[in-house]
Amino acid sequence: MDNCQILKCAVLFALVMAINPAAEAEWSVNTNNDAYYTDDVALFSVTRRLSLKDDPTQPVVDRPAQGGDFVYEPSAELEWSGKNALGKTHLSLDAGGYVFANRSEFTHGLYEFQFAQTFATGTKVGLFYNFVPDLFLGKNLFVQANGAETEHDEKLTNHYWSIHLDQPLSKNLTVRLLGRYGLRNYNAPFQHRDTEFWTLGPHLEWAINTDIELLLGYHYEQGVADHQKTTSFADNVSYVNHYASAELKVHLLERLSGVFIFDFEKNDFTSANPNDEHFGGSENVYQGEIELLYELDETATIKLGWQHGNRKLTTEEKSIKNNNVWLGFEYAF
């Protein structure tokens, strides 16, 4: 995270601290250490972030199937909560990253800042900022305006700002309205792919009973590349995206829980240039995930999971499959 982003977070943190009395404050730290094996290093970050709780509309990876690797994910979340005249305030800063054992060029950081205010009525407003710098997508072919072709590293810096409005409908049912605005900024010579995106969608959280929780969600998103730049290149990555997900958490035994997730995503490319490789194309993504959580005690949890994804571009003959397996440890204090 650069100095400007750190300063912004520090200023907001100071403002919240000034509003809330120190005597009301509660601090906590959550740490995670996860070890993965992935059979496709190019798709790993894309598949891991395909979630209602993260950034499901990662950019299309033009060159998947770049081999497997072991990946280590350390992360820590600092949380602070307190009370003010309006109700309860929550503040958190989450920092982590994916560290690749052999393909170090894919290593990158992940950062998120959250501020939430819960009112006496139960209504909750959450503000989020998510930042991923220098995400390596792999080698890619750059076709110049004169048709000459050269190969370069393709990298992306991603920002998005999000607002969540949560409203309890009953003791067990909460509806959320989500809005996002984001920027995906590419390195040279792929800067014509720079994209702005807007997202809208509802989520529904339902505690069916003490042992079963269900999260359902849908996102509509539009991403628009810089038309002034794309006019010189037949490579417009503008899109309309539909994303739907269902997450079921089941308490299986006294200390054992299972999380079962299914995601579907459809990207329709909106390039109007018949010479564009994306013209009239779309991508369908199907992804499933199973994770088992075993609580050692109130502060420590062991995690074991498997994720399988299937991606198919209409412009390609074959679909691309990706598998991630992991073993992790979560500790809160």
Side-chain angles (χ1 to χ4, degrees):
M1 185 181 294
D2 59 32
N3 292 334
C4 181
Q5 304 301 334
I6 293 174
L7 179 59
K8 290 179 180 178
C9 291
V11 169
L12 183 54
F13 181 84
L15 288 173
V16 175
M17 288 291 289
I19 294 173
N20 291 269
E24 299 288 345
E26 294 182 4
W27 294 86
S28 65
V29 177
N30 299 308
T31 62
N32 281 278
N33 289 277
D34 297 338
Y36 299 84
Y37 176 77
T38 180
D39 61 7
D40 194 329
V41 293
L43 290 177
F44 177 76
S45 182
V46 175
T47 53
R48 288 306 299 150
R49 302 193 74 197
L50 186 67
S51 166
L52 288 171
K53 301 172 184 176
D54 209 316
D55 184 13
T57 52
Q58 292 288 291
V60 173
V61 177
D62 291 321
R63 291 190 180 181
Q66 296 192 38
D69 199 1
F70 289 94
V71 185
Y72 172 54
E73 182 192 9
S75 66
E77 183 179 24
L78 175 64
E79 296 183 312
W80 177 89
S81 59
K83 296 181 179 180
N84 56 26
L86 299 176
K88 296 181 180 179
T89 303
H90 177 83
L91 185 71
S92 68
L93 179 62
D94 192 348
Y98 293 131
V99 182
F100 289 73
N102 298 311
R103 303 293 299 276
S104 59
E105 65 271 27
F106 286 93
T107 296
H108 62 278
L110 306 163
Y111 308 94
E112 183 169 89
F113 182 77
Q114 176 189 167
F115 168 75
Q117 175 69 49
T118 303
F119 299 91
T121 59
T123 302
K124 179 180 177 181
V125 178
L127 303 174
F128 299 78
Y129 169 63
N130 189 286
F131 174 56
V132 180
D134 296 325
L135 172 60
F136 181 64
L137 301 179
K139 297 283 187 179
N140 202 359
L141 197 66
F142 172 66
V143 182
Q144 302 181 38
N146 60 8
E149 298 180 352
T150 54
E151 190 175 67
H152 301 270
D153 289 350
E154 184 179 13
K155 293 186 177 182
L156 173 78
T157 293
N158 191 79
H159 307 261
Y160 74 77
W161 296 261
S162 180
I163 182 169
H164 295 177
L165 177 61
D166 292 18
Q167 179 61 55
L169 301 180
S170 68
K171 182 180 179 180
N172 299 326
L173 194 64
T174 298
V175 65
R176 171 182 302 124
L177 297 178
L178 172 145
R180 295 199 312 166
Y181 168 75
L183 300 169
R184 307 197 197 280
N185 296 323
Y186 290 77
N187 64 316
F190 300 102
Q191 290 174 328
H192 59 278
R193 288 188 161 195
D194 287 356
T195 305
E196 289 184 89
F197 61 91
W198 301 264
T199 314
L200 291 173
H203 296 177
L204 184 68
E205 294 183 353
W206 182 20
I208 299 174
N209 55 45
T210 56
D211 293 326
I212 302 176
E213 299 175 13
L214 179 65
L215 172 62
L216 300 172
Y218 165 78
H219 293 177
Y220 171 85
E221 181 170 301
Q222 183 173 3
V224 180
D226 189 331
H227 292 300
Q228 293 182 346
K229 296 178 181 178
T230 56
T231 52
S232 301
F233 306 96
D235 183 27
N236 187 339
V237 295
S238 300
Y239 63 88
V240 169
N241 175 274
H242 299 275
Y243 168 66
S245 179
E247 301 185 13
L248 182 68
K249 184 174 182 179
V250 181
H251 189 78
L252 301 172
L253 298 172
E254 182 179 356
R255 295 188 178 185
L256 182 66
S257 298
V259 180
F260 308 91
I261 303 175
F262 176 76
D263 301 287
F264 170 73
E265 185 173 39
K266 181 177 177 61
N267 285 305
D268 293 316
F269 296 104
T270 57
S271 173
N273 183 354
N275 296 319
D276 195 320
E277 63 175 309
H278 303 100
F279 178 74
S282 64
E283 180 189 40
N284 292 324
V285 180
Y286 300 88
Q287 185 165 288
E289 177 179 327
I290 299 174
E291 185 176 50
L292 297 177
L293 308 172
Y294 183 78
E295 297 180 3
L296 298 175
D297 55 37
E298 294 182 353
T299 61
T301 301
I302 294 177
K303 302 180 291 183
L304 177 66
W306 171 57
Q307 183 181 59
H308 175 75
N310 186 306
R311 296 167 177 266
K312 178 66 170 66
L313 280 165
T314 56
T315 54
E316 300 287 343
E317 293 184 1
K318 296 182 179 180
S319 61
I320 301 297
K321 296 178 174 61
N322 171 233
N323 291 280
N324 302 313
V325 293
W326 64 93
L327 176 65
F329 179 74
E330 180 178 339
Y331 183 74
F333 58 92

